[in-house]
């Protein structure tokens, strides 16, 4: 059954909830709440990757995430660390993280594949072309499914060459990263086309491409000069749940979300529906 990865941004500037969990105590409390709401993995990040975000120092990143990772791991929770830095990944796993979630797929830090191989932990390799300050300009594809497939395959080759076991690698298409709006949908519609048999993590939660789906007519007619602003991140929650439902139906390994309860309930309904269908088929 699809698992829920709960997003825990220990940052002041994340696009949806920046600043809400910007202290260790608040972040740990939120991590526990996410787990109670059905998240099986808590994904702790200390550096915003929203469009236009500047990087923080490695010292600041580690000061934000390591105490939270350690505290949640001590509570018995499965924790992932959302980082592009090999040094932070190593420190977080030593503090108790079980998964490294790297939005750059190892491109931002060439040491990452070797460190992950030594750590022998699960690793999320996301499709990525550039840092947040430049990524929107690289939303240029002739065939987005084929190009994401090939670019992820090249990252898998590098990881395997460094000694990372294939079974440890989870693929993420990088929705919203160098994909502003329409480039995201073919990747959701044809997961097998870019992922093959690999485990898949989908991170669509509250992202801006969902706003384009909610208000397609207004955006097409008015572009940036909308008569009313497009749905803000919190107003994209129902659209996020729709994506979660479709992902669960498609059998993806995990969804990375802000609202763990909504995702948990959607996945439970899909699972119950599918079990009933199987029972009907077996009794026919």
């Amino acid at each position: 059954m699809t698992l829920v990865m709960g997003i825990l941004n220990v940052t002041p500037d994340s696009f949806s909830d920046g600043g809400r969990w910007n202290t260790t105590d608040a972040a740990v409390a939120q991590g526990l709440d996410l787990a109670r709401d059905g998240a099986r993995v808590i994904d702790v990040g200390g550096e915003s990757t929203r469009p236009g975000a500047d990087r923080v120092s490695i010292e600041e990143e580690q000061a934000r995430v390591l105490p939270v990772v350690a505290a949640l791991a001590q509570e018995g929770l499965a924790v992932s660390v959302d980082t592009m830095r090999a040094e932070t990944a190593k420190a977080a796993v030593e503090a108790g993280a079980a998964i490294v979630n790297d939005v750059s797929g190892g491109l931002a830090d060439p040491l990452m594949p070797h460190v992950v191989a030594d750590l022998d932990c699960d690793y999320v390799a996301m499709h990525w072309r550039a840092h947040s300050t430049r990524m929107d300009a690289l939303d240029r594809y002739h065939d987005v499914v084929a190009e994401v497939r090939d670019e992820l395959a090249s990252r898998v080759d590098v990881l395997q060459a460094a000694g990372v076991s294939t079974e440890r690698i989870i693929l993420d298409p990088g929705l919203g990263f160098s994909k502003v709006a329409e480039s995201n949908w073919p990747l959701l519609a044809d997961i097998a086309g870019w992922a093959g048999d690999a485990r898949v993590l989908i991170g669509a939660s509250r992202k801006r491409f969902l706003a384009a789906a909610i208000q397609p007519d207004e955006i097409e007619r008015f572009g940036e000069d909308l008569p009313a602003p497009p749905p803000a991140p919190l107003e994209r929650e129902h659209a996020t749940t729709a994506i979660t439902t479709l992902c669960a139906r498609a059998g993806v390994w995990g969804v990375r979300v802000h609202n763990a309860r909504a995702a948990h309930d959607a996945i439970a309904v899909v699972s119950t529906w599918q079990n009933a269908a199987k029972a009907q088929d077996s009794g026919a």
Side-chain angles (χ1 to χ4, degrees), residues 143-181:
D143 182 335
V144 66
V145 173
E147 290 173 58
V148 168
R149 177 198 65 209
D150 293 346
E151 290 171 35
L152 281 174
S154 71
R155 302 314 306 155
V156 171
D157 289 344
V158 170
L159 290 163
Q160 291 173 330
V164 180
S165 170
T166 303
E167 291 73 25
R168 287 293 200 183
I169 300 171
I170 302 157
L171 299 182
D172 181 333
L175 302 177
F177 288 78
S178 298
K179 305 167 195 75
V180 176

PDB file of all heavy atoms in Angstrom, residues 143-181:
ATOM      1  N   ASP A 143      10.155  15.861 -25.263  1.00  0.00           N
ATOM      2  CA  ASP A 143       9.367  14.726 -24.770  1.00  0.00           C
ATOM      3  C   ASP A 143       9.718  14.575 -23.305  1.00  0.00           C
ATOM      4  O   ASP A 143      10.728  13.976 -22.949  1.00  0.00           O
ATOM      5  CB  ASP A 143       9.714  13.456 -25.551  1.00  0.00           C
ATOM      6  CG  ASP A 143       8.888  12.247 -25.128  1.00  0.00           C
ATOM      7  OD1 ASP A 143       8.405  12.229 -23.979  1.00  0.00           O
ATOM      8  OD2 ASP A 143       8.741  11.318 -25.936  1.00  0.00           O
ATOM      9  N   VAL A 144       8.885  15.157 -22.432  1.00  0.00           N
ATOM     10  CA  VAL A 144       9.251  15.243 -21.021  1.00  0.00           C
ATOM     11  C   VAL A 144       9.394  13.867 -20.386  1.00  0.00           C
ATOM     12  O   VAL A 144      10.289  13.637 -19.567  1.00  0.00           O
ATOM     13  CB  VAL A 144       8.253  16.127 -20.244  1.00  0.00           C
ATOM     14  CG1 VAL A 144       6.871  15.514 -20.186  1.00  0.00           C
ATOM     15  CG2 VAL A 144       8.779  16.420 -18.839  1.00  0.00           C
ATOM     16  N   VAL A 145       8.549  12.911 -20.760  1.00  0.00           N
ATOM     17  CA  VAL A 145       8.633  11.577 -20.166  1.00  0.00           C
ATOM     18  C   VAL A 145       9.952  10.911 -20.556  1.00  0.00           C
ATOM     19  O   VAL A 145      10.667  10.365 -19.696  1.00  0.00           O
ATOM     20  CB  VAL A 145       7.429  10.707 -20.579  1.00  0.00           C
ATOM     21  CG1 VAL A 145       7.612   9.265 -20.103  1.00  0.00           C
ATOM     22  CG2 VAL A 145       6.139  11.285 -20.003  1.00  0.00           C
ATOM     23  N   ALA A 146      10.295  10.961 -21.816  1.00  0.00           N
ATOM     24  CA  ALA A 146      11.535  10.327 -22.275  1.00  0.00           C
ATOM     25  C   ALA A 146      12.763  11.015 -21.699  1.00  0.00           C
ATOM     26  O   ALA A 146      13.733  10.352 -21.305  1.00  0.00           O
ATOM     27  CB  ALA A 146      11.596  10.347 -23.801  1.00  0.00           C
ATOM     28  N   GLU A 147      12.731  12.337 -21.622  1.00  0.00           N
ATOM     29  CA  GLU A 147      13.900  13.055 -21.125  1.00  0.00           C
ATOM     30  C   GLU A 147      14.091  12.860 -19.631  1.00  0.00           C
ATOM     31  O   GLU A 147      15.216  12.681 -19.162  1.00  0.00           O
ATOM     32  CB  GLU A 147      13.787  14.535 -21.488  1.00  0.00           C
ATOM     33  CG  GLU A 147      13.959  14.782 -22.980  1.00  0.00           C
ATOM     34  CD  GLU A 147      13.685  16.215 -23.382  1.00  0.00           C
ATOM     35  OE1 GLU A 147      14.361  17.108 -22.848  1.00  0.00           O
ATOM     36  OE2 GLU A 147      12.787  16.437 -24.235  1.00  0.00           O
ATOM     37  N   VAL A 148      13.004  12.868 -18.868  1.00  0.00           N
ATOM     38  CA  VAL A 148      13.115  12.583 -17.432  1.00  0.00           C
ATOM     39  C   VAL A 148      13.579  11.149 -17.215  1.00  0.00           C
ATOM     40  O   VAL A 148      14.432  10.873 -16.367  1.00  0.00           O
ATOM     41  CB  VAL A 148      11.773  12.865 -16.723  1.00  0.00           C
ATOM     42  CG1 VAL A 148      11.775  12.290 -15.303  1.00  0.00           C
ATOM     43  CG2 VAL A 148      11.512  14.368 -16.687  1.00  0.00           C
ATOM     44  N   ARG A 149      13.040  10.218 -17.999  1.00  0.00           N
ATOM     45  CA  ARG A 149      13.487   8.817 -17.917  1.00  0.00           C
ATOM     46  C   ARG A 149      14.994   8.716 -18.139  1.00  0.00           C
ATOM     47  O   ARG A 149      15.706   8.085 -17.348  1.00  0.00           O
ATOM     48  CB  ARG A 149      12.757   7.983 -18.978  1.00  0.00           C
ATOM     49  CG  ARG A 149      13.182   6.512 -19.038  1.00  0.00           C
ATOM     50  CD  ARG A 149      12.743   5.903 -20.366  1.00  0.00           C
ATOM     51  NE  ARG A 149      13.452   6.524 -21.497  1.00  0.00           N
ATOM     52  CZ  ARG A 149      12.945   6.629 -22.721  1.00  0.00           C
ATOM     53  NH1 ARG A 149      11.732   6.178 -22.992  1.00  0.00           N
ATOM     54  NH2 ARG A 149      13.654   7.206 -23.684  1.00  0.00           N
ATOM     55  N   ASP A 150      15.481   9.349 -19.199  1.00  0.00           N
ATOM     56  CA  ASP A 150      16.897   9.223 -19.531  1.00  0.00           C
ATOM     57  C   ASP A 150      17.784   9.926 -18.514  1.00  0.00           C
ATOM     58  O   ASP A 150      18.859   9.413 -18.157  1.00  0.00           O
ATOM     59  CB  ASP A 150      17.153   9.791 -20.928  1.00  0.00           C
ATOM     60  CG  ASP A 150      16.497   8.959 -22.028  1.00  0.00           C
ATOM     61  OD1 ASP A 150      16.082   7.822 -21.741  1.00  0.00           O
ATOM     62  OD2 ASP A 150      16.398   9.460 -23.165  1.00  0.00           O
ATOM     63  N   GLU A 151      17.356  11.084 -18.045  1.00  0.00           N
ATOM     64  CA  GLU A 151      18.170  11.811 -17.074  1.00  0.00           C
ATOM     65  C   GLU A 151      18.190  11.103 -15.720  1.00  0.00           C
ATOM     66  O   GLU A 151      19.224  11.076 -15.038  1.00  0.00           O
ATOM     67  CB  GLU A 151      17.676  13.250 -16.969  1.00  0.00           C
ATOM     68  CG  GLU A 151      18.000  14.053 -18.229  1.00  0.00           C
ATOM     69  CD  GLU A 151      17.349  15.427 -18.290  1.00  0.00           C
ATOM     70  OE1 GLU A 151      17.220  16.065 -17.226  1.00  0.00           O
ATOM     71  OE2 GLU A 151      16.968  15.864 -19.397  1.00  0.00           O
ATOM     72  N   LEU A 152      17.073  10.513 -15.320  1.00  0.00           N
ATOM     73  CA  LEU A 152      17.073   9.713 -14.093  1.00  0.00           C
ATOM     74  C   LEU A 152      17.911   8.449 -14.267  1.00  0.00           C
ATOM     75  O   LEU A 152      18.633   8.041 -13.346  1.00  0.00           O
ATOM     76  CB  LEU A 152      15.647   9.352 -13.687  1.00  0.00           C
ATOM     77  CG  LEU A 152      14.842  10.440 -12.976  1.00  0.00           C
ATOM     78  CD1 LEU A 152      13.406   9.981 -12.775  1.00  0.00           C
ATOM     79  CD2 LEU A 152      15.469  10.815 -11.641  1.00  0.00           C
ATOM     80  N   ALA A 153      17.840   7.838 -15.430  1.00  0.00           N
ATOM     81  CA  ALA A 153      18.629   6.629 -15.676  1.00  0.00           C
ATOM     82  C   ALA A 153      20.121   6.919 -15.565  1.00  0.00           C
ATOM     83  O   ALA A 153      20.892   6.093 -15.045  1.00  0.00           O
ATOM     84  CB  ALA A 153      18.304   6.059 -17.051  1.00  0.00           C
ATOM     85  N   SER A 154      20.529   8.098 -16.016  1.00  0.00           N
ATOM     86  CA  SER A 154      21.944   8.446 -15.897  1.00  0.00           C
ATOM     87  C   SER A 154      22.349   8.616 -14.445  1.00  0.00           C
ATOM     88  O   SER A 154      23.476   8.269 -14.062  1.00  0.00           O
ATOM     89  CB  SER A 154      22.247   9.722 -16.684  1.00  0.00           C
ATOM     90  OG  SER A 154      21.688  10.863 -16.060  1.00  0.00           O
ATOM     91  N   ARG A 155      21.437   9.120 -13.628  1.00  0.00           N
ATOM     92  CA  ARG A 155      21.733   9.246 -12.191  1.00  0.00           C
ATOM     93  C   ARG A 155      21.806   7.867 -11.538  1.00  0.00           C
ATOM     94  O   ARG A 155      22.657   7.614 -10.675  1.00  0.00           O
ATOM     95  CB  ARG A 155      20.671  10.102 -11.484  1.00  0.00           C
ATOM     96  CG  ARG A 155      20.496  11.501 -12.014  1.00  0.00           C
ATOM     97  CD  ARG A 155      21.828  12.208 -12.227  1.00  0.00           C
ATOM     98  NE  ARG A 155      22.651  12.210 -11.038  1.00  0.00           N
ATOM     99  CZ  ARG A 155      23.987  12.319 -11.047  1.00  0.00           C
ATOM    100  NH1 ARG A 155      24.646  12.400 -12.191  1.00  0.00           N
ATOM    101  NH2 ARG A 155      24.663  12.330  -9.920  1.00  0.00           N
ATOM    102  N   VAL A 156      20.910   6.978 -11.931  1.00  0.00           N
ATOM    103  CA  VAL A 156      20.950   5.611 -11.398  1.00  0.00           C
ATOM    104  C   VAL A 156      22.271   4.942 -11.771  1.00  0.00           C
ATOM    105  O   VAL A 156      22.884   4.249 -10.942  1.00  0.00           O
ATOM    106  CB  VAL A 156      19.751   4.790 -11.906  1.00  0.00           C
ATOM    107  CG1 VAL A 156      19.906   3.314 -11.548  1.00  0.00           C
ATOM    108  CG2 VAL A 156      18.438   5.346 -11.328  1.00  0.00           C
ATOM    109  N   ASP A 157      22.746   5.161 -12.981  1.00  0.00           N
ATOM    110  CA  ASP A 157      24.033   4.594 -13.395  1.00  0.00           C
ATOM    111  C   ASP A 157      25.161   5.088 -12.500  1.00  0.00           C
ATOM    112  O   ASP A 157      26.037   4.312 -12.080  1.00  0.00           O
ATOM    113  CB  ASP A 157      24.335   4.961 -14.849  1.00  0.00           C
ATOM    114  CG  ASP A 157      23.454   4.237 -15.846  1.00  0.00           C
ATOM    115  OD1 ASP A 157      22.813   3.235 -15.465  1.00  0.00           O
ATOM    116  OD2 ASP A 157      23.393   4.686 -17.008  1.00  0.00           O
ATOM    117  N   VAL A 158      25.152   6.380 -12.208  1.00  0.00           N
ATOM    118  CA  VAL A 158      26.193   6.954 -11.341  1.00  0.00           C
ATOM    119  C   VAL A 158      26.094   6.370  -9.937  1.00  0.00           C
ATOM    120  O   VAL A 158      27.111   6.013  -9.316  1.00  0.00           O
ATOM    121  CB  VAL A 158      26.070   8.492 -11.307  1.00  0.00           C
ATOM    122  CG1 VAL A 158      26.978   9.089 -10.232  1.00  0.00           C
ATOM    123  CG2 VAL A 158      26.408   9.088 -12.671  1.00  0.00           C
ATOM    124  N   LEU A 159      24.889   6.247  -9.421  1.00  0.00           N
ATOM    125  CA  LEU A 159      24.692   5.687  -8.083  1.00  0.00           C
ATOM    126  C   LEU A 159      25.163   4.242  -8.025  1.00  0.00           C
ATOM    127  O   LEU A 159      25.871   3.837  -7.086  1.00  0.00           O
ATOM    128  CB  LEU A 159      23.216   5.778  -7.695  1.00  0.00           C
ATOM    129  CG  LEU A 159      22.691   7.188  -7.424  1.00  0.00           C
ATOM    130  CD1 LEU A 159      21.168   7.213  -7.471  1.00  0.00           C
ATOM    131  CD2 LEU A 159      23.192   7.706  -6.080  1.00  0.00           C
ATOM    132  N   GLN A 160      24.792   3.460  -9.016  1.00  0.00           N
ATOM    133  CA  GLN A 160      25.206   2.057  -9.036  1.00  0.00           C
ATOM    134  C   GLN A 160      26.717   1.930  -9.162  1.00  0.00           C
ATOM    135  O   GLN A 160      27.333   1.077  -8.512  1.00  0.00           O
ATOM    136  CB  GLN A 160      24.505   1.323 -10.171  1.00  0.00           C
ATOM    137  CG  GLN A 160      23.007   1.161  -9.959  1.00  0.00           C
ATOM    138  CD  GLN A 160      22.302   0.584 -11.164  1.00  0.00           C
ATOM    139  OE1 GLN A 160      22.721   0.795 -12.306  1.00  0.00           O
ATOM    140  NE2 GLN A 160      21.224  -0.147 -10.926  1.00  0.00           N
ATOM    141  N   ALA A 161      27.325   2.784  -9.963  1.00  0.00           N
ATOM    142  CA  ALA A 161      28.777   2.748 -10.115  1.00  0.00           C
ATOM    143  C   ALA A 161      29.490   3.077  -8.807  1.00  0.00           C
ATOM    144  O   ALA A 161      30.597   2.585  -8.547  1.00  0.00           O
ATOM    145  CB  ALA A 161      29.215   3.720 -11.207  1.00  0.00           C
ATOM    146  N   ALA A 162      28.839   3.892  -7.972  1.00  0.00           N
ATOM    147  CA  ALA A 162      29.414   4.245  -6.674  1.00  0.00           C
ATOM    148  C   ALA A 162      29.186   3.158  -5.630  1.00  0.00           C
ATOM    149  O   ALA A 162      29.740   3.237  -4.531  1.00  0.00           O
ATOM    150  CB  ALA A 162      28.828   5.562  -6.183  1.00  0.00           C
ATOM    151  N   GLY A 163      28.337   2.178  -5.948  1.00  0.00           N
ATOM    152  CA  GLY A 163      28.095   1.083  -5.018  1.00  0.00           C
ATOM    153  C   GLY A 163      26.741   1.085  -4.351  1.00  0.00           C
ATOM    154  O   GLY A 163      26.501   0.286  -3.438  1.00  0.00           O
ATOM    155  N   VAL A 164      25.840   1.958  -4.786  1.00  0.00           N
ATOM    156  CA  VAL A 164      24.490   1.982  -4.214  1.00  0.00           C
ATOM    157  C   VAL A 164      23.682   0.845  -4.823  1.00  0.00           C
ATOM    158  O   VAL A 164      23.609   0.697  -6.045  1.00  0.00           O
ATOM    159  CB  VAL A 164      23.794   3.327  -4.491  1.00  0.00           C
ATOM    160  CG1 VAL A 164      22.386   3.326  -3.892  1.00  0.00           C
ATOM    161  CG2 VAL A 164      24.609   4.485  -3.930  1.00  0.00           C
ATOM    162  N   SER A 165      23.087   0.027  -3.966  1.00  0.00           N
ATOM    163  CA  SER A 165      22.277  -1.086  -4.438  1.00  0.00           C
ATOM    164  C   SER A 165      21.032  -0.576  -5.151  1.00  0.00           C
ATOM    165  O   SER A 165      20.391   0.393  -4.720  1.00  0.00           O
ATOM    166  CB  SER A 165      21.869  -1.964  -3.253  1.00  0.00           C
ATOM    167  OG  SER A 165      20.901  -2.915  -3.627  1.00  0.00           O
ATOM    168  N   THR A 166      20.673  -1.228  -6.238  1.00  0.00           N
ATOM    169  CA  THR A 166      19.479  -0.843  -6.999  1.00  0.00           C
ATOM    170  C   THR A 166      18.243  -0.845  -6.114  1.00  0.00           C
ATOM    171  O   THR A 166      17.360   0.012  -6.244  1.00  0.00           O
ATOM    172  CB  THR A 166      19.267  -1.811  -8.177  1.00  0.00           C
ATOM    173  OG1 THR A 166      20.439  -1.812  -8.988  1.00  0.00           O
ATOM    174  CG2 THR A 166      18.068  -1.412  -9.019  1.00  0.00           C
ATOM    175  N   GLU A 167      18.174  -1.794  -5.187  1.00  0.00           N
ATOM    176  CA  GLU A 167      17.005  -1.914  -4.314  1.00  0.00           C
ATOM    177  C   GLU A 167      16.878  -0.730  -3.356  1.00  0.00           C
ATOM    178  O   GLU A 167      15.811  -0.507  -2.784  1.00  0.00           O
ATOM    179  CB  GLU A 167      17.065  -3.212  -3.508  1.00  0.00           C
ATOM    180  CG  GLU A 167      16.886  -4.475  -4.332  1.00  0.00           C
ATOM    181  CD  GLU A 167      18.103  -4.800  -5.194  1.00  0.00           C
ATOM    182  OE1 GLU A 167      19.222  -4.361  -4.839  1.00  0.00           O
ATOM    183  OE2 GLU A 167      17.934  -5.464  -6.233  1.00  0.00           O
ATOM    184  N   ARG A 168      17.962   0.015  -3.188  1.00  0.00           N
ATOM    185  CA  ARG A 168      17.940   1.161  -2.280  1.00  0.00           C
ATOM    186  C   ARG A 168      17.440   2.439  -2.960  1.00  0.00           C
ATOM    187  O   ARG A 168      17.179   3.431  -2.292  1.00  0.00           O
ATOM    188  CB  ARG A 168      19.356   1.421  -1.745  1.00  0.00           C
ATOM    189  CG  ARG A 168      19.855   0.411  -0.734  1.00  0.00           C
ATOM    190  CD  ARG A 168      19.067   0.487   0.542  1.00  0.00           C
ATOM    191  NE  ARG A 168      19.760  -0.104   1.678  1.00  0.00           N
ATOM    192  CZ  ARG A 168      19.234  -0.207   2.889  1.00  0.00           C
ATOM    193  NH1 ARG A 168      18.000   0.243   3.112  1.00  0.00           N
ATOM    194  NH2 ARG A 168      19.902  -0.753   3.880  1.00  0.00           N
ATOM    195  N   ILE A 169      17.309   2.431  -4.279  1.00  0.00           N
ATOM    196  CA  ILE A 169      17.030   3.654  -5.024  1.00  0.00           C
ATOM    197  C   ILE A 169      15.534   3.833  -5.261  1.00  0.00           C
ATOM    198  O   ILE A 169      14.850   2.920  -5.718  1.00  0.00           O
ATOM    199  CB  ILE A 169      17.775   3.638  -6.380  1.00  0.00           C
ATOM    200  CG1 ILE A 169      19.294   3.530  -6.155  1.00  0.00           C
ATOM    201  CG2 ILE A 169      17.453   4.895  -7.181  1.00  0.00           C
ATOM    202  CD1 ILE A 169      20.085   3.292  -7.423  1.00  0.00           C
ATOM    203  N   ILE A 170      15.042   5.012  -4.922  1.00  0.00           N
ATOM    204  CA  ILE A 170      13.657   5.415  -5.143  1.00  0.00           C
ATOM    205  C   ILE A 170      13.686   6.602  -6.102  1.00  0.00           C
ATOM    206  O   ILE A 170      14.499   7.520  -5.923  1.00  0.00           O
ATOM    207  CB  ILE A 170      12.987   5.820  -3.812  1.00  0.00           C
ATOM    208  CG1 ILE A 170      13.031   4.653  -2.810  1.00  0.00           C
ATOM    209  CG2 ILE A 170      11.561   6.301  -4.045  1.00  0.00           C
ATOM    210  CD1 ILE A 170      12.920   5.092  -1.361  1.00  0.00           C
ATOM    211  N   LEU A 171      12.834   6.599  -7.110  1.00  0.00           N
ATOM    212  CA  LEU A 171      12.842   7.659  -8.112  1.00  0.00           C
ATOM    213  C   LEU A 171      11.693   8.645  -7.899  1.00  0.00           C
ATOM    214  O   LEU A 171      10.581   8.251  -7.547  1.00  0.00           O
ATOM    215  CB  LEU A 171      12.758   7.067  -9.519  1.00  0.00           C
ATOM    216  CG  LEU A 171      13.888   6.135  -9.933  1.00  0.00           C
ATOM    217  CD1 LEU A 171      13.695   5.674 -11.375  1.00  0.00           C
ATOM    218  CD2 LEU A 171      15.259   6.808  -9.769  1.00  0.00           C
ATOM    219  N   ASP A 172      11.995   9.920  -8.125  1.00  0.00           N
ATOM    220  CA  ASP A 172      11.034  11.010  -7.988  1.00  0.00           C
ATOM    221  C   ASP A 172      11.136  11.853  -9.259  1.00  0.00           C
ATOM    222  O   ASP A 172      12.232  12.271  -9.639  1.00  0.00           O
ATOM    223  CB  ASP A 172      11.401  11.836  -6.750  1.00  0.00           C
ATOM    224  CG  ASP A 172      10.453  12.995  -6.472  1.00  0.00           C
ATOM    225  OD1 ASP A 172       9.825  13.506  -7.414  1.00  0.00           O
ATOM    226  OD2 ASP A 172      10.367  13.407  -5.304  1.00  0.00           O
ATOM    227  N   PRO A 173      10.013  12.133  -9.949  1.00  0.00           N
ATOM    228  CA  PRO A 173      10.089  12.882 -11.206  1.00  0.00           C
ATOM    229  C   PRO A 173      10.368  14.366 -11.043  1.00  0.00           C
ATOM    230  O   PRO A 173      10.551  15.072 -12.039  1.00  0.00           O
ATOM    231  CB  PRO A 173       8.708  12.657 -11.825  1.00  0.00           C
ATOM    232  CG  PRO A 173       7.806  12.519 -10.638  1.00  0.00           C
ATOM    233  CD  PRO A 173       8.623  11.740  -9.633  1.00  0.00           C
ATOM    234  N   GLY A 174      10.379  14.858  -9.815  1.00  0.00           N
ATOM    235  CA  GLY A 174      10.689  16.268  -9.602  1.00  0.00           C
ATOM    236  C   GLY A 174       9.609  17.208 -10.096  1.00  0.00           C
ATOM    237  O   GLY A 174       9.888  18.194 -10.787  1.00  0.00           O
ATOM    238  N   LEU A 175       8.375  16.936  -9.718  1.00  0.00           N
ATOM    239  CA  LEU A 175       7.272  17.809 -10.123  1.00  0.00           C
ATOM    240  C   LEU A 175       7.542  19.232  -9.641  1.00  0.00           C
ATOM    241  O   LEU A 175       7.876  19.453  -8.476  1.00  0.00           O
ATOM    242  CB  LEU A 175       5.955  17.297  -9.554  1.00  0.00           C
ATOM    243  CG  LEU A 175       5.566  15.868  -9.948  1.00  0.00           C
ATOM    244  CD1 LEU A 175       4.262  15.461  -9.260  1.00  0.00           C
ATOM    245  CD2 LEU A 175       5.444  15.712 -11.460  1.00  0.00           C
ATOM    246  N   GLY A 176       7.418  20.189 -10.536  1.00  0.00           N
ATOM    247  CA  GLY A 176       7.649  21.579 -10.180  1.00  0.00           C
ATOM    248  C   GLY A 176       9.092  22.031 -10.283  1.00  0.00           C
ATOM    249  O   GLY A 176       9.366  23.228 -10.239  1.00  0.00           O
ATOM    250  N   PHE A 177      10.016  21.103 -10.439  1.00  0.00           N
ATOM    251  CA  PHE A 177      11.427  21.440 -10.564  1.00  0.00           C
ATOM    252  C   PHE A 177      11.797  21.427 -12.042  1.00  0.00           C
ATOM    253  O   PHE A 177      11.826  20.372 -12.673  1.00  0.00           O
ATOM    254  CB  PHE A 177      12.293  20.438  -9.802  1.00  0.00           C
ATOM    255  CG  PHE A 177      12.210  20.564  -8.309  1.00  0.00           C
ATOM    256  CD1 PHE A 177      11.129  20.068  -7.609  1.00  0.00           C
ATOM    257  CD2 PHE A 177      13.228  21.190  -7.602  1.00  0.00           C
ATOM    258  CE1 PHE A 177      11.042  20.182  -6.237  1.00  0.00           C
ATOM    259  CE2 PHE A 177      13.159  21.316  -6.221  1.00  0.00           C
ATOM    260  CZ  PHE A 177      12.065  20.816  -5.536  1.00  0.00           C
ATOM    261  N   SER A 178      12.072  22.616 -12.592  1.00  0.00           N
ATOM    262  CA  SER A 178      12.271  22.772 -14.038  1.00  0.00           C
ATOM    263  C   SER A 178      11.052  22.264 -14.806  1.00  0.00           C
ATOM    264  O   SER A 178      11.164  21.784 -15.933  1.00  0.00           O
ATOM    265  CB  SER A 178      13.537  22.048 -14.506  1.00  0.00           C
ATOM    266  OG  SER A 178      14.678  22.599 -13.892  1.00  0.00           O
ATOM    267  N   LYS A 179       9.895  22.380 -14.166  1.00  0.00           N
ATOM    268  CA  LYS A 179       8.610  21.985 -14.767  1.00  0.00           C
ATOM    269  C   LYS A 179       7.567  22.925 -14.183  1.00  0.00           C
ATOM    270  O   LYS A 179       7.097  22.704 -13.064  1.00  0.00           O
ATOM    271  CB  LYS A 179       8.277  20.527 -14.436  1.00  0.00           C
ATOM    272  CG  LYS A 179       9.376  19.547 -14.830  1.00  0.00           C
ATOM    273  CD  LYS A 179       9.148  18.182 -14.204  1.00  0.00           C
ATOM    274  CE  LYS A 179      10.388  17.339 -14.289  1.00  0.00           C
ATOM    275  NZ  LYS A 179      11.444  17.747 -13.319  1.00  0.00           N
ATOM    276  N   VAL A 180       7.209  23.952 -14.934  1.00  0.00           N
ATOM    277  CA  VAL A 180       6.376  25.009 -14.363  1.00  0.00           C
ATOM    278  C   VAL A 180       4.911  24.601 -14.279  1.00  0.00           C
ATOM    279  O   VAL A 180       4.278  24.752 -13.249  1.00  0.00           O
ATOM    280  CB  VAL A 180       6.545  26.315 -15.164  1.00  0.00           C
ATOM    281  CG1 VAL A 180       5.610  27.395 -14.629  1.00  0.00           C
ATOM    282  CG2 VAL A 180       7.998  26.783 -15.082  1.00  0.00           C
ATOM    283  N   ALA A 181       4.338  24.085 -15.366  1.00  0.00           N
ATOM    284  CA  ALA A 181       2.910  23.731 -15.338  1.00  0.00           C
ATOM    285  C   ALA A 181       2.652  22.475 -16.147  1.00  0.00           C
ATOM    286  O   ALA A 181       2.606  21.367 -15.611  1.00  0.00           O
ATOM    287  CB  ALA A 181       2.061  24.901 -15.821  1.00  0.00           C
TER     288      ALA A 181
END
